[in-house]
Structure formats: C-alpha cells, structure tokens
C-alpha cells in the first residue's frame, strides 16, 4: 500500500495502515515506512511515499484501507478505496500541474498532434487553469481522452517552499495512477513533443530515454507552432531527457530521469537521436536553465512536418466545434 505525501522535512507524520479481514472480522495494523523523493531539493517541504506491507494473515485482497495518524489512538485520516474499472490502454501522457497563460490553440495542437504520435489518454493536474483551457479539456474529457484532477496545494505553502508547484509529486502520483491503465506513460510538458523519426508513431517505438533539443519560438509562419518553427539548436542535451516508462516497473520517477526502478536489475534504454527526438518549443535564451544549450548555432529540422496534414485537419475541426471562451 503506497501513500504519497507532501510534508515538512523535519516533521513527517507517523502513519499506520489498518487492514480489515473479510472472514475473521479482524483489523491488522501496519506501521508505514517512509521514503523521501530525491528531487525535493533544498526546500521547506519534501515529497514522501509511505509504504505499508500487506499482513500475511490478511485473507482477502483489500478494496480500501483506513489510514491512522498514530497506532495508539487510531484517529482516522481517510479511507483510500480501489478504483473501479481496469481499462488497459497503450500509451498515456502525464502533464505536470497546469498554470499560467496557455492559449486554446496551443493546447488543442498539443492534444491533437500527441494523439497522432500515438497517445491514447492524457492526465492533467489543475493548479490554476483559465476557464477557456478548462472548457477545452472538458470537451476532450467527454470523449474519454483526458482526465483532469485538482492540484490544490496547502494555502500555507509559499512559492519557494516546494519545487516548481510540486511537479515531482504530481509525476509520482500520475505514475502510480497509471499503473493499472497504461502499458507505457510519457512524462513531459505542454510545450514538448516526443517525435519518432523512423517509426509511424511512438507506440511503434516505445523507447525510454530520448535526448532533447530546443526549438526557438521566435520565428514566423503558420499559427501551429510545430508546423511553422523548424529552427532548432544544433546541440542536443543529454541532461534534460524525457522518459517513456512502464509504470509498473518504476518506484521513484524524476522529472528528467528514472530515479529508482521497482527492481534494481531493471535498466533504462537510451533511444538514439536518429530514432526519436524531443522538441521543446520555447525561447532559446533562458538564464534560468542549468545546462543551457548554445543559441548561436541553429539548423533546420522538419521532422514534425510529416504529421502536418493530419494535424491541420484535426486542429481546424476541433477549433470549429469545441465550445470555449477566449
């Protein structure tokens, strides 16, 4: 039993899992052990996973568990139930908490192109979405293509108290949520696309580590960014890699790498640059970037153009039928 937590580093709560036997009507108490995510960094709050081993004497598969703050008092925090339905889909996308200004056109382009590239479902976390973005996602949610979950951070957490709105915790949550539903999940932002070079789509490829290049958005042309912006940095980075993973084989997932597989003998495969690439659409010069690529040397890369015809058709169709407010 895994429980994800956002907690002060120095005051991690003591938790106990209470499992109830179906036939004997007994309750088994198991004290949780804690593991801290390595991407908590030097912040006031950290991300933890609490693990409770199922008791050997438990005679049934539990459908819910009561979580208590202390073993002695057994003051219940909440019951965690088993979700209904086990629909297996091939390839899901986990998007970190959405906030800030995002245009309707950009999010529709992201959803439509990423579907063409092989994605079957998208998981979003709503930190502070605009009403127009929510309306777009509601449309895709009705189609069964999108799930949106609230990302309500505690009011007493400041901007610098945790790393990037809790993105590592959201990735962790999405990873565990995806285990029963997807064979593979990709973890990336709305301005990033994992694009196959030789294969028809990502489901035909399904690699794990893919190197990234920066595509400078300060260019003119079509209103679809992936069909008008073709100048990228000549360099590629092995630091800002993106991952496609089997969620059942991962215990701890980082933003740019696999931190800890569920078994030590699992290894990540590196995908060759000539097989698949990550295109990150942003302004090239970024003073906040840790490993900044040189922005003085660009080359033309039209890998995404081969998906343009399908994308343009789907994009125009959705723009005409989705009810949203500008």
């Amino acid at each position: 039993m895994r429980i994800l937590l956002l907690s002060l580093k120095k005051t991690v709560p003591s938790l106990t899992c209470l499992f109830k036997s179906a036939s004997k009507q007994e309750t088994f108490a198991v004290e949780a052990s804690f593991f801290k995510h390595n991407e908590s960094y030097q912040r006031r709050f950290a991300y933890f996973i609490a693990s409770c081993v199922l008791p050997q004497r438990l005679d049934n598969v539990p459908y819910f568990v009561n979580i208590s703050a202390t073993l002695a008092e057994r003051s219940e925090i909440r019951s965690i139930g088993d979700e209904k339905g086990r629909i297996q889909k091939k390839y899901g996308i986990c998007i970190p908490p959405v906030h800030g200004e995002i245009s309707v056109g950009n999010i529709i382009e992201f959803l439509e192109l990423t579907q063409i590239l092989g994605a079957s479902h998208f998981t979003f976390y709503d930190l502070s979405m605009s009403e127009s973005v929510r309306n777009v996602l509601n449309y895709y949610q009705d189609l069964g293509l999108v799930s949106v979950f609230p990302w309500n951070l505690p009011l007493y957490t400041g901007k610098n108290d945790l790393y990037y709105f809790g993105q590592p915790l959201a990735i962790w949550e999405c990873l565990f949520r995806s285990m029963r539903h997807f064979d593979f999940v990709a973890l990336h932002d709305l301005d990033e696309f994992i694009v196959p070079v030789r294969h028809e789509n990502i489901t035909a490829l399904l690699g794990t580590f893919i190197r990234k290049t920066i595509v400078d958005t300060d260019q003119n042309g079509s209103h679809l960014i992936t069909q008008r912006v073709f100048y990228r940095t000549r360099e590629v980075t092995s630091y800002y890699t993106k991952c496609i993973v089997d969620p059942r084989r991962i215990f701890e997932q980082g933003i740019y790498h696999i931190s800890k597989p569920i078994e030590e003998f699992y290894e990540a495969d590196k995908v060759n640059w000539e097989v698949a690439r990550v295109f990150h659409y942003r302004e090239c010069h970024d003073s906040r970037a840790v490993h900044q690529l040189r922005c003085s040397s660009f080359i033309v890369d039209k890998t995404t153009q081969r998906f343009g015809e399908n994308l343009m058709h789907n994009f125009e169709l959705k723009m005409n039928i989705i009810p949203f407010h500008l």
Side-chain angles (χ1 to χ4, degrees), residues 113 116 224 226-227 303-314:
L113 178 55
I116 293 171
L224 294 181
T226 58
Q227 301 306 306
T303 304
T304 57
Q305 196 174 49
R306 67 189 182 104
F307 306 100
E309 185 176 348
N310 286 343
L311 174 60
M312 287 294 295
H313 175 269
N314 295 349

Side-chain angles (χ1 to χ4, degrees), residues 96-148:
V98 177
H99 64 283
E101 293 296 326
I102 303 171
S103 75
V104 164
N106 284 350
I107 200 163
I108 293 176
E109 181 180 5
F110 171 82
L111 291 167
E112 292 301 326
L113 178 55
T114 310
Q115 284 183 81
I116 293 171
L117 295 174
S120 55
H121 196 82
F122 302 83
T123 302
F124 285 85
Y125 295 88
D126 184 358
L127 177 64
S128 56
M129 291 180 183
S130 67
E131 191 63 27
S132 58
V133 168
R134 285 196 186 98
N135 288 339
V136 170
L137 295 183
N138 286 342
Y139 170 83
Y140 285 95
Q141 199 164 9
D142 290 340
L143 297 177
L145 295 170
V146 163
S147 297
V148 182

Side-chain angles (χ1 to χ4, degrees), residues 5-201:
L5 300 168
L6 172 67
S7 177
L8 290 167
K9 288 184 178 180
K10 298 180 180 180
T11 57
V12 180
S14 176
L15 296 180
T16 302
C17 300
L18 304 175
F19 299 97
K20 193 171 184 179
S21 168
S23 60
K24 299 178 181 179
Q25 295 298 306
E26 292 182 89
T27 298
F28 301 96
V30 178
E31 190 172 354
S33 60
F34 287 85
F35 178 91
K36 187 174 75 171
H37 197 292
N38 71 62
E39 291 187 358
S40 298
Y41 301 112
Q42 302 301 316
R43 304 301 172 98
R44 185 171 168 232
F45 284 82
Y47 317 115
F48 295 88
I49 189 165
S51 299
C52 292
V53 178
L54 269 65
Q56 292 185 351
R57 292 173 58 196
L58 192 66
D59 56 1
N60 62 293
V61 177
Y63 285 93
F64 67 91
V65 57
N66 289 336
I67 309 298
S68 294
T70 63
L71 181 60
E73 298 177 2
R74 293 187 179 180
S75 54
E76 182 179 312
I77 296 177
R78 62 175 299 190
S79 295
I80 300 177
D82 184 31
E83 294 182 28
K84 301 296 182 182
R86 299 192 178 205
I87 301 173
Q88 198 72 10
K89 298 181 179 180
K90 190 73 173 176
Y91 177 41
I93 308 293
C94 293
I95 297 99
V98 177
H99 64 283
E101 293 296 326
I102 303 171
S103 75
V104 164
N106 284 350
I107 200 163
I108 293 176
E109 181 180 5
F110 171 82
L111 291 167
E112 292 301 326
L113 178 55
T114 310
Q115 284 183 81
I116 293 171
L117 295 174
S120 55
H121 196 82
F122 302 83
T123 302
F124 285 85
Y125 295 88
D126 184 358
L127 177 64
S128 56
M129 291 180 183
S130 67
E131 191 63 27
S132 58
V133 168
R134 285 196 186 98
N135 288 339
V136 170
L137 295 183
N138 286 342
Y139 170 83
Y140 285 95
Q141 199 164 9
D142 290 340
L143 297 177
L145 295 170
V146 163
S147 297
V148 182
F149 300 99
W151 193 248
N152 300 322
L153 297 174
L155 296 176
Y156 49 79
T157 57
K159 183 178 179 180
N160 296 320
D161 285 341
L162 66 165
Y163 180 73
Y164 205 66
F165 307 104
Q167 180 178 351
L169 188 63
I171 289 174
W172 223 358
E173 202 277 348
C174 191
L175 187 75
F176 278 83
R177 183 183 293 277
S178 300
M179 283 183 177
R180 301 180 347 166
H181 301 289
F182 305 107
D183 297 323
F184 291 89
V185 291
L187 311 145
H188 59 80
D189 295 332
L190 289 170
D191 58 357
E192 295 172 322
F193 297 87
I194 300 178
V195 182
V197 177
R198 299 174 180 174
H199 298 77
E200 182 181 352
N201 54 48

